[in-house]
Amino acid sequence: LLPTELRDITDIAIGLKDAQVVGDAIEAGANIDSNAPTLRVVNSAHLPVQEIAPGEVQLWRVANIGADIWYDIELESGGFAVVAEDGNPVWEVWDAEHLVLPPGKPYEVLVTGPPAGDYMFKTREYDQGGDVYPETDLMQLTSSGTAVETPPPPASLVEPAAIEASDV
């Protein structure tokens, strides 16, 4: 569904999940303590690194695959261009500085490579109405290499279609 100039971009899945930490081990039992510290992981890795070139556009398919914790994601280098929500292309692409993901929530976003350097993809502090989740670094975005020309973002991924009148 992406325009031609964006069809060959890097496409990565980002599964956000939390794990309960007890001592120096991850608790895997049925008796999880909701007040115990948690470790936030991306695709089962703690603080992975994603590489990007300055100006490069990548498609990030971000989903909260956890059962309880909410995420309020943000990228230090700038915002996201939202192209799909809940698995559905958006009528109009929209920009977001941050996105809230309750359990099970997915977004598909375009990320543009910032100037060379290291930037954090993180979850901001979020008060879910009783449970307060702290700001936590999730993944490092490393921008390096030769800058590339940034293609223009799409305005829409869905062609408007006329709705036919019904005889009913």
Side-chain angles (χ1 to χ4, degrees):
L1 294 173
L2 289 173
T4 306
E5 59 273 8
L6 293 174
R7 290 205 180 132
D8 293 327
I9 64 175
T10 298
D11 180 344
I12 65 167
I14 297 176
L16 305 175
K17 189 160 174 41
D18 57 287
Q20 185 175 37
V21 178
V22 178
D24 61 354
I26 293 177
E27 177 67 33
N31 296 322
I32 301 295
D33 177 1
S34 62
N35 294 315
T38 60
L39 178 68
R40 305 283 185 108
V41 294
V42 173
N43 300 339
S44 299
H46 182 246
L47 287 174
V49 176
Q50 175 63 34
E51 296 184 2
I52 195 168
E56 176 188 358
V57 175
Q58 294 183 351
L59 176 64
W60 290 11
R61 299 174 192 270
V62 184
N64 178 354
I65 60 173
D68 294 321
I69 290 184
W70 292 48
Y71 290 80
D72 185 359
I73 59 171
E74 176 180 66
L75 186 56
E76 284 181 337
S77 63
F80 308 102
V82 179
V83 296
E85 183 175 0
D86 296 325
N88 299 303
V90 296
W91 288 101
E92 292 182 18
V93 174
W94 51 281
D95 294 326
E97 292 293 317
H98 64 99
L99 295 165
V100 174
L101 286 83
K105 180 72 174 180
Y107 280 103
E108 293 178 30
V109 298
L110 297 176
V111 172
T112 301
D118 294 327
Y119 303 88
M120 290 311 297
F121 172 62
K122 63 184 177 181
T123 181
R124 300 165 10 138
E125 181 177 300
Y126 187 75
D127 183 345
Q128 189 260 323
D131 292 327
V132 179
Y133 306 111
E135 179 175 304
T136 305
D137 291 340
L138 301 170
M139 180 173 72
Q140 179 178 302
L141 180 66
T142 297
S143 180
S144 64
T146 304
V148 299
E149 185 175 335
T150 304
S156 175
L157 296 186
V158 179
E159 291 294 322
I163 298 175
E164 307 244 348
S166 173
D167 292 334
V168 179

